Amino acid sequence: MSTSAEAPTVLKAENVSKEFDGVRIIEDINIELRQGELVCLLGQSGVGKSTLFNVLSGLYVPETGSVEMQGEDITGKPGKISYMLQKELLLPYKTVLDNAALPLIIKKTHSKKEAREAASALFEKFGLEGCQKKYPSQLSGGMRQRAALLRTYLSSQGAALLDEPFSALDTLTKSAMHKWYLEIMEQIELSTLFITHDIDEAVILSDRIYIMKGKPGRITEEIKIDTPKPRSPDFNLSEEFLKYKRQIVAAL
């Protein structure tokens, strides 16, 4: 499935800059996420990717610029967009079901019983059926990431920020998670902005890639991945894949 350039914009940052103690970390960032897209933010460690995500999520207030989600100004307003960090941060003393249901309880949109029912109804879709009463320590790394992604989805309003969620997984598990996430994203109609410093991951997952470089960090290039989704299992061995990879290496 390819996403149309005419699809509605879900999330947009305009002229965003952020500094700490007088040092500019990111500068004049302009990005957008359209409905149904997976867009990767690709850059070396320390370039300001996580700082930008903290601005997009409302945790940091930028020195300049604004963040808009579905037409609403959410600059400096946390809780408007779901945000999943590198570690899945599941609460070890709660069952997988209660971890997943937590956003609905915190937002007070559901009673505890209703939240559990709503979360449990999605366990099969997320490949977690039968795990409701287990604890995070009883799950594999890939299964914990699925549970964390379910929790992220339940706290979302159609868009999610993911900060290197698959970086701790082994190669085979990561490959399986990539395939699964693209499938589930389409099924649940979730748009995703995704941080990575893994070029292969960016090309495999993305509709578009923003290259971030420098100190302060800036968006220096936007690369569109035109290969239609779903992509073939051996896409990462194709000349087309290598063409994109060479383009990205040159941009970095």
Side-chain angles (χ1 to χ4, degrees), residues 60-79:
Y60 293 165
V61 178
E63 266 61 48
T64 66
S66 62
V67 180
E68 187 178 285
M69 184 176 178
Q70 295 175 342
E72 176 189 357
D73 186 345
I74 63 167
T75 312
K77 298 177 182 177

Side-chain angles (χ1 to χ4, degrees), residues 128 139-149 166 169 173 177 180:
L128 291 165
L139 301 184
S140 67
M143 294 293 274
R144 287 197 299 272
Q145 290 302 94
R146 288 176 185 242
L149 287 162
F166 308 134
L169 302 177
T173 303
M177 287 296 289
W180 170 81

